[in-house]
Amino acid sequence: MTLPAGTMARTGNSAHKWGLTSDRKQKMTRGAQKQGPSIVWFRDDLRLADNQALTAAVAAPAPLLCVYIFDEESEGFRPHGGASRWWLHHSLAALGGEISKKGGRLDLFRGRAKDILPALAAAASAGAAFWTRRYGGAEIALDTVLKTRLVAAGVKTQSFNGQLLHEPWEVKRGARGSFMVYSPYWRAALALPDAGAPLDAPEKILASPYSRGAPKRKSLDELGLLPKRCDWAAGLSANWRPGEKGAQKRLGDFLANGLQAYASARDRPADDAISRLSPHLRFGEISPRQIFAAVRAAETERPELKAGASKFLGELGWREFNYHVFFSHPNAATTNLQRRFDAMPWRDPPLHELKAWRRGQTGYPLVDAGMRELWTTGFMHNRARMAAASFLVKHLLIDWRIGEEWFWDTLCDADPANNPMNWQWVAGSGADAAPYFRVFNPVLQGEKFDPRGDYVRRWIPELAALPDKWIHKPWAAPAAVLLEARVELGKTYPKPVVDLADGRDRALKAFEAVRR
DNA sequence: CCCCTATTGTG
DNA sequence: ACAATAGGG
């Protein structure tokens, strides 16, 4: 693997009026009620099927303005990372294509939603606006302001849940507010009435002509989402097909091939046993409700899927739980959920160690394989994520936020709730987190979950000729074995950046400062 | 969704 | 000598 020289990070180089022809009569008979196109504001719901906001808009007797606003300027918004921007570009292209096929049109904007949406509504004399809810603090605040402004301007607005099985506030722990432990949360969520059958995509979308005087639309390229300086995205293109079609294909493949063995095979990073739906979910190209319904239907038809299905739905449950916690702790992307961790004596990150971690050059094959998979494909297997994250936080004693930022920049599935919550889980500072003394050993994890070294060999070709016995600990191999495998430690593959026992002891000592 | 060490059990 | 298990970080 080669990183382009000087590349520290993917984003590091920086961040109608409608036609009144045959409709005129109808408008006249409606009297004073405001008529005009309906705005469908797409955000993290880039799909046509099971999109309640879109379905509600189509049901109204008005043509549609389908809108996406690329907004990096609103206060408190976290800018997309590089991989997310790449994904977003292609997802918008796919969405625009699908909307066109139905007869509609997707209009793109760049700037503050707070300015663009009301200006568009006014210029188009929009009668209504529909969107799918989101759950970040700044996003909720903005949506609330916009709703007030639009309503005051006579635009009916309606928002829907399309991103979660249950709204964060619907899953209740007696009268005592939100959950902080996963198992009771998920039990309570599963006990709620089923989210119901997913909606079909609309048959037809009637496009509203674009008004003069409305905010200027951008082309997809003008959003500037694709990398400019160097094309690190080749590996992303080779591995992913962003968009609703790609998401449905993944789901179908997974139900047919992955689900049965999922409960155990999900832990082996060399196996192709995982759904890889996370980036599609992140951008709402598929809804959790669609996934839930499809899995339930599959296990009803094929009872042998039951074990895999419950494990897989449990992962969807972790996503719901993360949003539930995130909703009641809007600062959790940057603040320890357990405040005692504020006293944690993180090291001032040594740059060479941090670089080694980012580039997959720590000398620990499982960690390095994961980090290289991440850089190349914009994805990392969950088992490798846990090992790589634990290694940074514990063995290198580097603040989880620094790792979180790297993942945010490089993961296609970088999710505002999941990414920080999962890092906090590893660090031990999170809700229902792994206890601080749980330290993943990359050698043992490798031997247990990648016993043949297939995953390591796939991502670290310079180690490929090592026998299984040494594939997860090349530094311990006899000189003759290394010679035979043409491995020169410190040259073709790095020596360990830190000794495992030393790193572990140092971490456990540091965590003493944080113990209750 | 862990690892390490000490101790006891087994041949 | 090794496997299985307990206890603790």
Side-chain angles (χ1 to χ4, degrees):
Chain A
M1 175 198 72
T2 51
L3 293 192
T7 302
M8 281 308 297
R10 289 194 160 135
T11 53
N13 306 321
S14 59
H16 76 116
K17 208 158 194 159
W18 57 335
L20 296 178
T21 49
S22 57
D23 294 319
R24 183 180 288 276
K25 268 182 208 152
Q26 189 191 9
K27 183 179 183 182
M28 304 307 281
T29 62
R30 288 282 177 114
Q33 199 182 355
K34 189 152 185 169
Q35 287 279 301
S38 295
I39 293 173
V40 181
W41 182 16
F42 286 91
R43 295 104 64 87
D44 299 320
D45 56 338
L46 307 182
R47 65 178 182 273
L48 300 190
D50 199 36
N51 189 323
Q52 296 187 69
L54 175 63
T55 298
V58 168
L64 300 194
L65 280 171
C66 296
V67 170
Y68 185 89
I69 304 170
F70 181 60
D71 183 353
E72 287 191 305
E73 295 163 41
S74 289
E75 312 77 47
F77 276 39
R78 186 171 189 181
H80 284 88
S84 295
R85 291 163 68 107
W86 176 88
W87 190 286
L88 179 58
H89 176 99
H90 295 287
S91 190
L92 288 172
L95 180 69
E98 293 303 316
I99 290 176
S100 296
K101 278 189 215 159
K102 303 281 186 179
R105 187 189 65 248
L106 178 64
D107 294 324
L108 305 174
F109 302 88
R110 179 170 192 170
R112 289 172 177 274
K114 201 193 280 186
D115 301 331
I116 291 171
L117 204 66
L120 175 63
S125 303
F130 302 89
W131 60 71
T132 302
R133 284 182 211 115
R134 45 191 179 180
Y135 301 94
E139 286 80 359
I140 293 172
L142 172 64
D143 292 351
T144 306
V145 167
L146 268 172
K147 196 161 202 163
T148 309
R149 277 181 70 172
L150 290 171
V151 168
V155 182
K156 193 186 118 199
T157 70
Q158 207 176 351
S159 64
F160 300 86
N161 168 20
Q163 200 182 176
L164 297 171
L165 294 172
H166 302 288
E167 295 288 15
W169 54 86
E170 284 173 355
V171 187
K172 284 201 279 270
R173 183 171 59 114
R176 270 189 304 284
S178 64
F179 289 87
M180 289 299 275
V181 181
Y182 166 75
S183 301
Y185 167 82
W186 188 227
R187 215 175 306 125
L190 285 174
L192 289 176
D194 203 277
L199 304 168
D200 290 332
E203 301 257 314
K204 249 184 96 58
I205 295 172
L206 181 60
S208 174
Y210 200 72
S211 318
R212 278 185 298 157
K216 182 142 173 40
R217 292 174 288 177
K218 302 280 188 197
S219 71
L220 183 53
D221 288 336
E222 282 172 327
L223 296 187
L225 296 169
L226 294 179
K228 288 177 187 70
R229 307 247 310 213
C230 54
D231 192 15
W232 43 258
L236 277 61
S237 308
N239 280 278
W240 299 101
R241 181 181 166 200
E244 194 167 7
K245 287 257 166 62
Q248 289 297 330
K249 171 125 179 27
R250 283 273 187 221
L251 176 61
D253 289 352
F254 176 65
L255 294 177
N257 307 316
L259 189 55
Q260 180 159 6
Y262 181 76
S264 57
R266 71 180 294 275
D267 271 325
R268 293 191 294 270
D271 286 21
D272 197 18
I274 55 175
S275 75
R276 295 183 189 271
L277 282 168
S278 53
H280 298 289
L281 262 172
R282 157 66 183 89
F283 289 94
E285 299 165 4
I286 191 167
S287 73
R289 181 161 76 164
Q290 289 175 302
I291 297 173
F292 193 92
V295 169
R296 283 287 194 234
E299 71 175 340
T300 302
E301 196 169 317
R302 299 169 55 202
E304 71 273 18
L305 297 179
K306 260 192 166 333
S310 123
K311 188 77 191 166
F312 180 65
L313 292 179
E315 300 306 316
L316 218 47
W318 273 101
R319 176 178 180 276
E320 297 276 316
F321 176 64
N322 287 337
Y323 269 92
H324 178 82
V325 174
F326 184 51
F327 176 74
S328 56
H329 298 83
N331 298 322
T334 50
T335 308
N336 291 308
L337 283 162
Q338 300 180 45
R339 296 311 295 264
R340 63 193 170 97
F341 274 78
D342 293 353
M344 184 69 191
W346 301 112
R347 290 160 75 220
D348 214 5
L351 205 57
H352 72 281
E353 291 183 16
L354 195 54
K355 273 187 184 168
W357 180 77
R358 286 176 178 158
R359 296 173 181 206
Q361 300 283 352
T362 67
Y364 291 100
L366 181 65
V367 172
D368 293 341
M371 296 304 290
R372 295 182 194 191
E373 180 187 24
L374 173 60
W375 181 263
T376 305
T377 70
F379 184 86
M380 197 195 310
H381 190 279
N382 179 252
R383 179 53 53 179
R385 290 191 201 201
M386 290 192 290
S390 172
F391 185 79
L392 184 80
V393 168
K394 315 256 160 124
H395 289 98
L396 296 182
L397 203 58
I398 291 176
D399 195 324
W400 61 266
R401 297 164 187 87
I402 294 174
E404 196 275 340
E405 275 173 24
W406 181 255
F407 274 31
W408 180 262
D409 195 24
T410 52
L411 277 171
C412 288
D413 63 30
D415 180 287
N418 287 327
N419 196 48
M421 296 305 115
N422 287 334
W423 273 94
Q424 292 217 46
W425 181 87
V426 172
S429 64
D432 200 11
Y436 71 88
F437 49 76
R438 188 178 288 169
V439 181
F440 286 70
N441 178 324
V443 179
L444 295 176
Q445 288 282 310
E447 289 171 351
K448 194 164 171 191
F449 297 111
D450 186 31
R452 307 295 310 277
D454 295 330
Y455 181 68
V456 164
R457 291 192 180 87
R458 187 181 306 158
W459 294 108
I460 314 182
E462 62 267 36
L463 295 181
L466 272 183
D468 294 358
K469 183 173 179 191
W470 306 108
I471 192 74
H472 293 293
K473 43 181 177 190
W475 65 89
V481 172
L482 291 173
L483 193 64
E484 167 81 19
R486 268 169 288 154
V487 175
E488 272 188 87
L489 288 179
K491 291 211 173 139
T492 66
Y493 185 73
K495 294 175 182 166
V497 69
V498 63
D499 177 79
L500 284 183
D502 293 348
R504 181 174 198 272
D505 287 348
R506 182 174 62 185
L508 291 176
K509 286 215 176 60
F511 279 113
E512 285 291 318
V514 162
R515 281 185 77 182
R516 281 181 228 277

